[in-house]
C-alpha cells in the first residue's frame, strides 16, 4: 500500500502539482499583462473612432491603411494557421490532440494580433486569446524540461487553458468546469487535479498582480439582484425558451455566413475578406462605438436599462452579424464576451417585452438580463454547467441558483430538441476540415508494451490523454496481479501489453505521443 502511494505521489500527484503551479503562475502573469495592454488599446481605439466621426475626411486614408493589417493577417494565417479565429475552439482542438501547434510563435502571435484586432475595433473579446495563451504556456512549461516529461503536455496545456479562462473572466470554478465540460468532455481525477492546481495558483498570482497593474480581477462588478421565489419560476422558463430559440436561429445564421464567405466567395483572396471586415467595422464604429469592440462596456451599459427597444434591435442585428463575419473570416480574437453581449441584448429585449406584455415590475430587469446571459452560454455555446457556475461566480446569482439551473437547462434542452450544434464545436469542425484538407489518413494497429518507468505506469487507461482517434482495444497483464486489488487490476504496469488502433493524419506525431506515454518501443509503430 505504501509503495503504491509512493508511486502515485511521485509519478502523478507531484508532477501534476508542479506543472499546474508553474503553468498557473506564468499564465496569470501573461494574461494580466495582456489585459493591461488591451485596456489601453481599446480606450485608444474608442478615442480614435470619436475623432474620425468628427473628422470624416480622414476616413478614406484609414480605409487604405487597413489594407496593410488585412493582408498581413492573411499572410500570417497561412504560415501559422492556429492564430486564426476564436481562441477557445482552437485551444479545445489543441487540448484534444486534433490541432498541432508551436507554442512560442503561437503565444507571441495571439498576443500581438488580437491587440491589433482590438485597435481596429473588431467585435471580438480577450478571453479566447487568454485561453490560447494559457494553452501555449502550458506546453512551454513542459517542453522546457526536455523529452522526459512530454507525456504531461496536454495535461499542462489543459491547466493553462483553465487558468487563462479564470484570469480573463474572474471565474476560477468556471475555469475548472470548462476543462471537464468543454475541453475534454469527460471527467477524471487527473483533469481535475491539473485544472484545479493551475487555476488556484493563477488566482493567487492575480490577487497580487491585479492591484499593482491596475486591472480588474473580475469581468463584472457585484450586481444587486432581486431574489426570485417559487411563483416566479415562469420567468426563467420563459427566458430559457426564448433564448434557446434565439440560439437555434443564431447558430443557423452562423452557418449561412460561413457558407457565404467560404463557399460563395471562396475564390476571393482571404486578405480582401479580412479587409471587408475591417472596413465594415470602421463604418459601423463611426456610427456608434457600441456596434463594435468587445461588448464589455455595452453589457455594463445595458444594466442601466435605458436603451430604447429600436436601438436594442439594431445593436443585436449589427453586433451578431459583425461578430460572425469576423469569426468566419478567422480574425484573431475571442467570441465568448461578444456572445455574452448578444445574450445581454436579447435578454434586455425580453425584459422590456415582459414588462409590456405581462406587466412585470421593472425591478426584475437586472435578474432577467443575468438569466438571459446565462441562457446564452448554455444555448449558443452548449455549456450548461459552465453557465450555471459562471452565473453564480461572475454575475452574482447567489440567491437565485435554482432559477439559474432552470434557465440554463431549458435553453440547453431547446437547442438539443432542434439539433443545434455548439458554436465552439462548429468552429472547431470547420478549422479541422480546413487544416486537413487534401491530407490522407493512416490506420495504426499495433500491440505495444508499457516500458519500465514510463508515464503510463500506475495510471488507468481512462486517465491518459491518448493521441486523438486512438482506441485501446485490449489490455493484458504479463505478470501475475492480485485480483483482489481493484486498483492493480485496472492500472497499467510495466510490461503490460496494449492492443491499440488509431486513425491519424500525422503518423509521426502519433508515434511520438505514444512513445512519450508508453516508453520507447523495440519495434516500429506501424
Amino acid at each position: 500500500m505504501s509503495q503504491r502511494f509512493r508511486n502515485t505521489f511521485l509519478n502523478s500527484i507531484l508532477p501534476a502539482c508542479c506543472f499546474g503551479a508553474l503553468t498557473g503562475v506564468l499564465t496569470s502573469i501573461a494574461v494580466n499583462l495582456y489585459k493591461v495592454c488591451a485596456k489601453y488599446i481599446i480606450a485608444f481605439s474608442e478615442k480614435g473612432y470619436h475623432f474620425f466621426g468628427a473628422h470624416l475626411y480622414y476616413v478614406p486614408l484609414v480605409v487604405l491603411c487597413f489594407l496593410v493589417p488585412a493582408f498581413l493577417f492573411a499572410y500570417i494565417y497561412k504560415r501559422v494557421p492556429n492564430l486564426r479565429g476564436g481562441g477557445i475552439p482552437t485551444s479545445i482542438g489543441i487540448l484534444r490532440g486534433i490541432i498541432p501547434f508551436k507554442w512560442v510563435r503561437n503565444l507571441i502571435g495571439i498576443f500581438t494580433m488580437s491587440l491589433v484586432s482590438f485597435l481596429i475595433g473588431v467585435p471580438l473579446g480577450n478571453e479566447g486569446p487568454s485561453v490560447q495563451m494559457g494553452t501555449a504556456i502550458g506546453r512551454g512549461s513542459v517542453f522546457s524540461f526536455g523529452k522526459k516529461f512530454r507525456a504531461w503536455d496536454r495535461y499542462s496545456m489543459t491547466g493553462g487553458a483553465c487558468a487563462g479562462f479564470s484570469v480573463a473572466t474572474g471565474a476560477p470554478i468556471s475555469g475548472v468546469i470548462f476543462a471537464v465540460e468543454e475541453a475534454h468532455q469527460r471527467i477524471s481525477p487527473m483533469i481535475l487535479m491539473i485544472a484545479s492546481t493551475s487555476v488556484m495558483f493563477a488566482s493567487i498570482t492575480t490577487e497580487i498582480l491585479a492591484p499593482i497593474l491596475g486591472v480588474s480581477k473580475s469581468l463584472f462588478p457585484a450586481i444587486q439582484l432581486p431574489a426570485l421565489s417559487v411563483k416566479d419560476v415562469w420567468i426563467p422558463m420563459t427566458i430559457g425558451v426564448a433564448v434557446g430559440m434565439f440560439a437555434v436561429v443564431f447558430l443557423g445564421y452562423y452557418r449561412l455566413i460561413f457558407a457565404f464567405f467560404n463557399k460563395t466567395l471562396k475564390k476571393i483572396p482571404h486578405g480582401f475578406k479580412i479587409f471587408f471586415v475591417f472596413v465594415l467595422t470602421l463604418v459601423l464604429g463611426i456610427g456608434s462605438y457600441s456596434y463594435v469592440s468587445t461588448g464589455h462596456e455595452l453589457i455594463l451599459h445595458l444594466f442601466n436599462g435605458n436603451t430604447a427597444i429600436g436601438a436594442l434591435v439594431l445593436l443585436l442585428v449589427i453586433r451578431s452579424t459583425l461578430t460572425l463575419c469576423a469569426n468566419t473570416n478567422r480574425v484573431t480574437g475571442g467570441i465568448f464576451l461578444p456572445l455574452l453581449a448578444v445574450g445581454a441584448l436579447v435578454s434586455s429585449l425580453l425584459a422590456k417585452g415582459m414588462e409590456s406584455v405581462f406587466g412585470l415590475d421593472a425591478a426584475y430587469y437586472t435578474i432577467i438580463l443575468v438569466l438571459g446571459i446565462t441562457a446564452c452560454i448554455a444555448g449558443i455555446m452548449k455549456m450548461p454547467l459552465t453557465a450555471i457556475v459562471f452565473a453564480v461566480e461572475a454575475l452574482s446569482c447567489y440567491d437565485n441558483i435554482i432559477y439559474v439551473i432552470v434557465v440554463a437547462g431549458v435553453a440547453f434542452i431547446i437547442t438539443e430538441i432542434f439539433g443545434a450544434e455548439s458554436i465552439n464545436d462548429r468552429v472547431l469542425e470547420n478549422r479541422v476540415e480546413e487544416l486537413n484538407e487534401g491530407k490522407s489518413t493512416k490506420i495504426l494497429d499495433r500491440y505495444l508494451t508499457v516500458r519500465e518507468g514510463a508515464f503510463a505506469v500506475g495510471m488507468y487507461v481512462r486517465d491518459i490523454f491518448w493521441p486523438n482517434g486512438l482506441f485501446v482495444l485490449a489490455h493484458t497483464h504479463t505478470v501475475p496481479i492480485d485480483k483482489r486489488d481493484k486498483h492493480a487490476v485496472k492500472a497499467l504496469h510495466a510490461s503490460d501489453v496494449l492492443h491499440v488502433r488509431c486513425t491519424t493524419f500525422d503518423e509521426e506525431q502519433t508515434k511520438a505521443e505514444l512513445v512519450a506515454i508508453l516508453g520507447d518501443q523495440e519495434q516500429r509503430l506501424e
Side-chain angles (χ1 to χ4, degrees), residues 384-396:
L385 294 180
T386 303
I388 293 167
V389 176
F390 184 82
V392 175
E393 279 192 295
L395 297 171
S396 308

Side-chain angles (χ1 to χ4, degrees), residues 9-308:
F9 178 78
L10 293 177
N11 297 335
S12 300
I13 298 176
L14 183 60
C17 291
C18 290
F19 283 123
L22 178 61
T23 299
V25 171
L26 294 178
T27 298
S28 176
I29 294 171
V31 173
N32 276 293
L33 290 174
Y34 174 69
K35 288 170 70 174
V36 171
C37 296
K39 180 177 72 172
Y40 286 109
I41 285 179
I42 291 171
F44 181 77
S45 173
E46 184 174 7
K47 290 180 181 177
Y49 271 96
H50 292 320
F51 175 81
F52 293 128
H55 304 82
L56 293 177
Y57 46 85
Y58 284 112
V59 171
L61 179 61
V62 177
V63 170
L64 288 175
C65 291
F66 277 176
L67 283 168
V68 176
F71 281 88
L72 181 62
F73 272 33
Y75 172 76
I76 293 174
Y77 292 153
K78 286 184 178 180
R79 300 293 299 273
V80 191
N82 295 321
L83 297 178
R84 302 174 182 178
I88 289 180
T90 300
S91 294
I92 291 171
I94 294 168
L95 297 179
R96 294 179 186 174
I98 303 173
I99 298 177
F101 87 125
K102 297 185 182 298
W103 72 274
V104 175
R105 63 184 186 181
N106 188 276
L107 178 61
I108 297 172
I110 201 74
F111 189 101
T112 55
M113 293 179 69
S114 60
L115 291 179
V116 174
S117 297
F118 298 155
L119 179 63
I120 294 171
V122 181
L124 298 171
N126 65 358
E127 74 299 322
S130 298
V131 171
Q132 197 165 341
M133 284 191 290
T135 304
I137 290 171
R139 168 160 286 183
S141 299
V142 171
F143 277 33
S144 299
F145 287 90
K147 294 183 178 180
K148 181 180 179 182
F149 296 99
R150 289 293 170 91
W152 284 97
D153 179 32
R154 284 164 62 192
Y155 296 92
S156 184
M157 288 194 296
T158 298
C162 296
F165 185 90
S166 170
V167 176
T169 62
I173 303 177
S174 301
V176 177
I177 298 297
F178 169 79
V180 299
E181 182 179 38
E182 187 67 2
H184 296 292
Q185 296 183 332
R186 63 188 173 101
I187 189 169
S188 76
M190 288 290 291
I191 294 175
L192 289 175
M193 184 163 51
I194 194 76
S196 300
T197 305
S198 296
V199 168
M200 178 179 67
F201 277 88
S203 298
I204 293 171
T205 306
T206 299
E207 287 287 334
I208 299 171
L209 288 179
I212 297 174
L213 297 176
V215 295
S216 175
K217 294 179 289 185
S218 58
L219 195 59
F220 302 108
I223 307 168
Q224 295 297 323
L225 299 175
L228 299 179
S229 60
V230 176
K231 66 180 178 61
D232 298 318
V233 72
W234 66 274
I235 296 176
M237 291 187 70
T238 303
I239 297 170
V241 171
V243 176
M245 294 298 297
F246 172 80
V248 173
V249 174
F250 184 86
L251 293 168
Y253 190 38
Y254 167 79
R255 290 194 295 271
L256 287 175
I257 291 180
F258 181 85
F260 175 72
F261 280 105
N262 293 276
K263 295 180 181 178
T264 306
L265 303 181
K266 185 176 182 180
K267 294 184 179 180
I268 295 180
H270 191 197
F272 282 114
K273 296 177 186 177
I274 298 175
F275 176 66
F276 168 77
V277 173
F278 288 172
V279 172
L280 184 60
T281 301
L282 176 66
V283 172
L284 294 172
I286 288 175
S288 172
Y289 197 71
S290 296
Y291 295 145
V292 298
S293 193
T294 64
H296 182 252
E297 292 299 322
L298 174 62
I299 296 173
L300 297 180
H301 174 72
L302 289 176
F303 276 106
N304 297 327
N306 299 324
T307 309

Side-chain angles (χ1 to χ4, degrees), residues 335-408:
I335 58 173
F336 182 82
L337 189 53
L339 290 182
L340 294 192
V342 169
L345 288 167
V346 173
S347 51
S348 184
L349 283 168
L350 282 172
K352 292 181 180 296
M354 292 168 81
E355 288 175 18
S356 301
V357 176
F358 302 111
L360 198 64
D361 194 286
Y364 286 92
Y365 176 83
T366 52
I367 186 64
I368 292 174
L369 199 68
V370 166
L371 291 176
I373 294 172
T374 305
C376 179
I377 301 173
I380 296 178
M381 303 179 215
K382 305 294 285 290
M383 300 191 300
L385 294 180
T386 303
I388 293 167
V389 176
F390 184 82
V392 175
E393 279 192 295
L395 297 171
S396 308
C397 288
Y398 314 107
D399 298 325
N400 294 288
I401 296 177
I402 293 176
Y403 308 101
V404 166
I405 295 172
V406 170
V407 77

Side-chain angles (χ1 to χ4, degrees), residues 496-507:
D496 283 1
V497 175
L498 301 178
H499 180 196
V500 303
R501 181 176 296 159
C502 181
T503 302
T504 179
F505 285 101
D506 191 337
E507 181 181 355

